[in-house]
Amino acid sequence: MAHVLAVNPVPARSQMGSSLGFHIILACFGIAFAAVIMTAEWIGIRRGDATALLLARRWSKVMAVLVAVGAVSGTVLSYEMGLLWPGLMGRFGAAIGFPFSMEGIFFFLEAIFVGVYLYGWRRMPPWAHWWSGMPIVVSGVLGALSVVAANSWMNSPAGYTLSHGKITNVDPVSVFFNASTPYETAHMVLAAYMVTGFLIAGVYAAGLLRGRRDRYHRLGFAIPFTLAGIAAPLQVMMGDIIARFIAHNQPVKFAAMEYVSKTTSDVPEWLGGIFINGHVYLGAAIPAFDSILVGFSPHTRVIGWQSVPPAQRPPLVTLIHLSFDLMVGIGFFLLALAAWQGWWWWFHRRLLMTPWFLVPSALSGVAAVAAMESGWVVTEVGRQPWIVYRVLLVSTAVTPSSGVTVTLGVILALYAILTVVSIGVPMVMSRRWRQGTPAEEETEQVPYGPSPARAGASPAAPPAGRALPRSSGGPDAP
Amino acid sequence: MSPSPEAIAVAAILFVVIAAYALLGGADLGGGIWDLLAGSTERGAVPRRLIDDSITPVWEANHVWLVFILVLLWTAFPLAFAAIMTALFVPLSLSALGIVLRGVGFAFRHTAEKLRMRRLAGATFAAASLITPFFMGTVVGAIATGHVPVHPHGNVLGAWTSLTAILTGFLFVAACAYISAVYLVLEARQRGHHEMTRYFALRATAAGLVTGALAGGTFAALSSSAPRLFGRLTGISLPLVAISIAAGTAVLVMLWLRWYRAVPLRVTAAVAVAAVVWGWGLAQYPYLLPTSLSLAVGSAPTATLVAEFVVTGLAVLLVVPGFGLLYFLQQRRVLTAAESDADLRLAARLEPATSGQPAAAAAPLGIRMTTALVLAILAIRAIRDVFSRPDRR
Ligand code: HDD
Ligand code: HEM
Ligand code: HEM
């Protein structure tokens, strides 16, 4: 497998990038949705708030659908690691496999407890049920930590001994906790909370804009928006810290992010701009600011990509730079949005209802997804041409098998369908909640959840619930 | 060079997981096959509904077994994994395609509103249930007959299109249908559905006979295509093969006598499948890829193997109680006094709507906000301390 040269890795890279780019959006829900739901349930139980409980129960059904699609796309990824990159897995599977094994445990747990949580709604006392959701929150975060640690290892390989190109010893702990792990995992978990929070909040913001200003919509907006809003400032800070770490750990990647071709001091910070033949067009430069960001002084020397031979420089510097700028720009935009609402709440204890706030809020989820995707483009394209940084080339790792162009086409088509499913199913569900009868909602079937046949008692005979004060407005779904 | 005990132990774990996937994933895929064969929308409504009710709660967790197989393979036996993934690119891609299509069909068929969409989703789901086991079977057939080279230069089409491999593919499909029908007999009986019990007992018998015939055919083909494997199957693995045949026959007898006892029937059918899987593993020992890559050469370093051991232990420790709880809840039909969705809707709607937004109580929230701010500042400082100055590392 190693000796076949001149395989074109572009179809394989495109396939890997598109399946990961798809999976990661669902993964965000796997990591953070449970926390949003449990916040709603907590409010519901604590204050006897029926609206919050209803939101939690409906959200849990949406979560089940998304987790199911995430599991399918994740299974495909496991195949792809081998189908597309046998040269990586054959050589380094013994090292990079460990974090993936840990991931397996956590996603197993997550799948089981999503089932427990869905079954538990009317089979467990309220607080016991709330606690049964806790393992989903914890294993979501730990699972993300494990799988991102695998990616970090590709950026900062550590914990193995090579002799004659074969791994002879492995230290699983150093593999898992490599130099990049703390940065990447913290940034990714925060990103997951932002993506999930802003996307859900955006749905309810759209409802508020259409005049559905009842308590159901306000609460459905406020809970996820608050969680995402807390993550936003932390994320910007974390990003700043990571950028400095990258300047030190992967200087050539950093050079591509910031258009630094020659190693000098007083390096300007480019905002936007297209790099063609040594010139930056259409960009604005802040003099010496890049040096200041990296070392807090204009005299800081920043390493340029000309420090390595052309074959070791990442391709598509314009893509890398613009993706980075987009991520940073959106990061500040979302931070401003969260700060505005935070300010308003501080002084007025109300949600902002002006379209000037609601329209950007409705779009905030899409923006967060764009930021996350472009962040991954920076990380992954910036690592090129290495699959394992400074150790293994992508072109050596790619499969020599023919047929990747075919699988690429099929994957693109299938993921288009999966996208329709993951957006369409929750939409159909919400329409049914708005228009259907309560009995229909009670017997709705979702993956992981109880089927109507097993649900037992007839939904037509509601047991006497506890007193439910405090709610107002209609429970119309968006 | 003989393989290390750690390598043998991890290989044993691998085969336990493969057997688990064959049983649980197999029953799941088999359900899809019976769904496909259930006939027109009207005629097939009842069996389809039963299949749906019994696989819905579990279908997804079964993926985890497959993922675990892949991860164990690439971590503990990376060379074999890379060779299999390269040489058998085509059938493996097709089996993955089946998994995605199943997922799509499954997620959508309950929510699709129009009958036509629902039918399309159902058909996708059912067809995919056929594709996945067939191509997985050809993969196993190709490996067992020793047609996967250690360093393939690309796809090896001949490996999985040999007579033995194709027969193994059909064998997998039949075995899935068989194990699933046996479980469905019990599901139907548990629900007191006598007609469906008969329906699936008939199908389980037929599938059992077909599986037996295909197994015999594959076995005969192996004698010429893989003499070493055949020799060991009739040698050291013979007891396991015999157990499988005996168990398979016993299931047929039980079905014929209409002795539908849950535990004996389930266990015997499971033994029939698991024994063959282990028989294959034992017959292939000590090779990962017969006869070009041995366990001794193809295993990861000891530390990795030990780590996989720990991971497996951890998985058992964490996952078993979770499964216990889920099973307990699934069996529990009494609902607690918690509000139904309908109650919640009523309660949320019946309250008189207050005009505008209720302003929250200011004082405690102010305190809360301040606390939150203080906590945020502390968190920021903590992060700064942990991550400060990368250049010092
Ligand atoms: C909601 C999403 C989001 C937001 C608002 C930000 N990021 Fe980000 N960023 C990600 C989501 C993300 C990510 C997708 O999660 C990445 C990809 C790999 C990773 O670990 O995180 C990432 C990677 C990433 C990297 C490259 C890490 C590497 O190559 O290993 C840097 C330097 C930054 N980010 C910097 C920032 C800065 C300075 C931001 C704000 C001002 C920022 N990010 C906001
Ligand atoms: C944490 C888990 C991840 C792992 C283990 C991982 C692994 C890989 C591997 C093995 C490749 C192919 C080799 C290469 O081109 O360098 C790759 C490429 C790529 N990945 Fe990731 N990845 C991860 C996360 C992501 C995510 C979430 C995205 C989201 C968009 C992403 C986007 C890409 C892209 C765009 C490429 C192609 C890069 C190029 O061809 O220039 N990756 N990744
Ligand atoms: C090469 C990269 C990756 C591989 C091989 C991979 C593999 C998988 C697999 C096999 C599953 C299904 C597990 C199950 O059946 O329950 C899964 C689900 C999941 N993956 Fe990935 N994954 C990758 C990248 C990522 C990344 C980058 C993240 C996020 C940081 C992530 C987060 C998740 C989550 C949260 C789930 C649970 C399902 C859900 O909640 O949607 N994965 N992944």
Side-chain angles (χ1 to χ4, degrees):
Chain A
M1 92 216 115
H3 326 289
V4 185
L5 295 173
V7 178
N8 176 10
V10 170
R13 282 159 60 186
S14 314
Q15 182 175 338
M16 195 74 202
S18 38
S19 12
L20 279 160
F22 178 87
H23 176 73
I24 193 73
I25 302 176
L26 294 154
C28 286
F29 282 92
I31 297 163
F33 206 166
V36 177
I37 294 170
M38 288 179 65
T39 309
E41 192 185 3
W42 190 81
I43 294 174
I45 303 176
R46 189 63 198 263
R47 306 196 187 155
D49 184 335
T51 310
L53 278 180
L54 189 63
L55 278 169
R57 208 173 284 185
R58 287 177 170 178
W59 283 343
S60 69
K61 293 179 187 169
V62 177
M63 172 171 75
V65 173
L66 296 179
V67 166
V69 181
V72 171
S73 61
T75 308
V76 173
L77 281 176
S78 306
Y79 267 93
E80 283 177 343
M81 288 306 283
L83 286 175
L84 302 177
W85 313 107
L88 168 68
M89 304 319 282
R91 270 191 204 85
F92 292 108
I96 199 176
F98 176 67
F100 281 117
S101 313
M102 295 299 292
E103 182 214 13
I105 300 185
F106 293 119
F107 292 153
F108 210 156
L109 267 184
E110 181 166 347
I112 292 173
F113 276 92
V114 168
V116 169
Y117 193 73
L118 286 181
Y119 270 92
W121 270 116
R122 302 187 60 200
R123 291 173 171 79
M124 280 188 195
W127 282 113
H129 181 253
W130 189 83
W131 280 106
S132 80
M134 216 41 179
I136 315 178
V137 177
V138 175
S139 57
V141 169
L142 293 180
L145 199 140
S146 314
V147 75
V148 175
N151 186 277
S152 306
W153 184 86
M154 292 162 45
N155 282 318
S156 305
Y160 63 94
T161 322
L162 272 185
S163 84
H164 306 296
K166 195 170 184 283
I167 289 199
T168 50
N169 199 10
V170 171
D171 174 4
V173 176
S174 325
V175 168
F176 199 98
F177 296 101
N178 58 71
S180 295
T181 305
Y183 303 91
E184 274 197 37
T185 52
H187 204 52
M188 181 61 225
V189 170
L190 288 170
Y193 275 83
M194 288 177 73
V195 165
T196 309
F198 283 124
L199 270 178
I200 304 170
V203 171
Y204 290 86
L208 290 169
L209 271 172
R210 287 202 205 136
R212 299 190 193 122
R213 305 221 162 164
D214 45 53
R215 187 154 182 285
Y216 179 88
H217 280 83
R218 291 199 308 271
L219 204 58
F221 174 79
I223 294 171
F225 190 86
T226 307
L227 285 179
I230 294 171
L234 298 175
Q235 180 72 319
V236 170
M237 238 184 45
M238 195 64 226
D240 173 55
I241 294 167
I242 297 190
R244 232 165 289 125
F245 168 74
I246 296 290
H248 167 81
N249 193 50
Q250 294 178 308
V252 180
K253 181 192 268 186
F254 187 77
M257 281 154 55
E258 300 284 27
Y259 286 159
V260 189
S261 52
K262 280 195 279 296
T263 307
T264 54
S265 56
D266 295 285
V267 179
E269 168 80 22
W270 283 100
L271 300 182
I274 299 168
F275 190 90
I276 303 169
N277 291 333
H279 289 282
V280 182
Y281 297 97
L282 302 173
I286 308 175
F289 195 54
D290 196 39
S291 288
I292 295 176
L293 283 178
V294 172
F296 305 110
S297 142
H299 305 302
T300 313
R301 287 171 72 78
V302 181
I303 298 175
W305 62 67
Q306 289 180 2
S307 58
V308 295
Q312 294 185 16
R313 298 174 196 164
L316 309 172
V317 280
T318 300
L319 174 69
I320 297 174
H321 173 76
L322 290 182
S323 301
F324 183 61
D325 279 7
L326 183 67
M327 167 171 64
V328 176
I330 293 176
F332 279 107
F333 159 71
L334 294 174
L335 174 63
L337 205 61
W340 186 8
Q341 174 62 66
W343 176 269
W344 197 255
W345 182 263
W346 183 271
F347 289 108
H348 302 277
R349 305 255 166 252
R350 272 166 194 270
L351 290 179
L352 281 158
M353 283 293 157
T354 154
W356 291 103
F357 173 74
L358 287 180
V359 171
S361 296
L363 297 174
S364 61
V366 181
V369 172
M372 181 195 57
E373 298 285 359
S374 42
W376 277 106
V377 167
V378 173
T379 307
E380 303 284 301
V381 182
R383 191 186 58 235
Q384 304 296 317
W386 304 102
I387 191 166
V388 181
Y389 195 60
R390 288 193 180 139
V391 175
L392 187 68
L393 287 168
V394 172
S395 51
T396 324
V398 71
T399 182
S401 296
S402 48
V404 179
T405 32
V406 178
T407 53
L408 171 63
V410 174
I411 283 277
L412 289 180
L414 277 178
Y415 280 18
I417 300 176
L418 271 182
T419 308
V420 172
V421 169
S422 6
I423 299 175
V425 169
M427 272 174 68
V428 171
M429 277 159 68
S430 107
R431 178 141 39 91
R432 207 172 289 159
W433 293 333
R434 220 168 330 125
Q435 294 166 356
T437 64
E440 268 170 24
E441 176 165 355
E442 192 66 39
T443 53
E444 190 165 49
Q445 197 180 1
V446 291
Y448 301 94
S451 65
R454 286 181 182 230
S458 106
R466 285 172 290 122
L468 293 163
R470 268 260 197 180
S471 3
S472 60
D476 280 353
Chain B
M1 192 161 75
S2 63
S4 66
E6 290 89 354
I8 297 176
V10 174
I13 296 178
L14 179 62
F15 271 88
V16 171
V17 181
I18 293 179
Y21 183 59
L23 288 172
L24 299 168
D28 185 359
L29 291 163
I33 297 172
W34 292 122
D35 184 318
L36 185 68
L37 298 179
S40 67
T41 312
E42 299 79 45
R43 208 151 45 86
V46 182
R48 285 210 175 93
R49 165 128 209 173
L50 179 68
I51 294 165
D52 214 36
D53 283 350
S54 32
I55 64 180
T56 303
V58 293
W59 80 280
E60 201 287 324
N62 290 331
H63 279 227
V64 183
W65 297 106
L66 174 60
V67 170
F68 205 43
I69 294 172
L70 292 171
V71 172
L72 261 181
L73 251 180
W74 83 45
T75 311
F77 312 112
L79 271 178
F81 176 75
I84 293 168
M85 283 289 175
T86 308
L88 304 177
F89 183 88
V90 178
L92 282 165
S93 296
L94 287 167
S95 71
L97 174 72
I99 287 172
V100 181
L101 286 179
R102 250 176 86 85
V104 176
F106 194 85
F108 209 47
R109 71 196 265 186
H110 296 301
T111 342
E113 289 184 316
K114 299 205 181 63
L115 183 62
R116 206 158 48 86
M117 282 307 284
R118 210 177 273 219
R119 263 199 209 138
L120 183 70
T124 313
F125 172 75
S129 308
L130 216 54
I131 297 176
T132 307
F134 177 78
F135 286 106
M136 282 180 176
T138 62
V139 167
V140 169
I143 297 170
T145 48
H147 284 311
V148 177
V150 187
H151 294 294
H153 293 296
N155 318 7
V156 185
L157 286 181
W160 60 278
T161 48
S162 70
L163 175 67
T164 317
I166 299 282
L167 274 176
T168 318
F170 285 119
L171 174 63
F172 269 47
V173 173
C176 289
Y178 160 71
I179 195 87
S180 166
V182 173
Y183 288 176
L184 283 167
V185 169
L186 296 172
E187 289 282 344
R189 197 176 149 78
Q190 199 193 338
R191 290 180 168 74
H193 205 315
H194 296 299
E195 199 186 323
M196 278 297 113
T197 313
R198 288 291 306 140
Y199 178 98
F200 281 111
L202 200 69
R203 277 155 184 77
T205 312
L209 291 173
V210 173
T211 309
L214 280 168
T218 315
F219 203 59
L222 278 175
S223 67
S224 59
S225 63
R228 179 183 179 278
L229 191 79
F230 185 78
R232 282 182 63 97
L233 276 175
T234 48
I236 186 156
S237 290
L238 192 61
L240 284 168
V241 175
I243 288 175
S244 172
I245 295 174
T249 317
V251 170
L252 290 182
V253 172
M254 285 187 226
L255 289 175
W256 187 59
L257 294 176
R258 300 191 188 180
W259 194 66
Y260 304 132
R261 283 295 166 78
V263 176
L265 196 55
R266 234 176 239 272
V267 170
T268 320
V271 166
V273 173
V276 170
V277 173
W278 291 326
W280 161 48
L282 190 59
Q284 201 170 303
Y285 182 86
Y287 290 104
L288 287 166
L289 300 175
T291 51
S292 52
L293 183 66
S294 70
L295 204 50
V297 176
S299 302
T302 312
T304 303
L305 297 173
V306 172
E308 288 310 285
F309 230 84
V310 173
V311 166
T312 310
L314 215 60
V316 173
L317 217 66
L318 289 173
V319 166
V320 168
F323 253 131
L325 183 56
L326 183 57
Y327 185 75
F328 169 75
L329 288 174
Q330 284 174 353
Q331 298 307 315
R332 189 167 167 180
R333 277 149 198 259
V334 213
L335 303 184
T336 58
E339 310 80 10
S340 68
D341 294 357
D343 299 335
L344 287 178
R345 277 167 65 140
L346 275 170
R349 192 174 268 158
L350 277 183
E351 289 295 316
T354 44
S355 56
Q357 301 174 34
L365 266 170
I367 294 168
R368 253 180 251 167
M369 287 287 280
T370 322
T371 323
L373 203 69
V374 171
L375 284 179
I377 292 170
L378 286 179
I380 289 171
R381 294 209 46 174
I383 296 175
R384 283 238 165 219
D385 288 348
V386 174
F387 293 100
S388 61
R389 303 276 156 69
D391 36 283
R392 254 202 263 131
R393 284 166 159 268

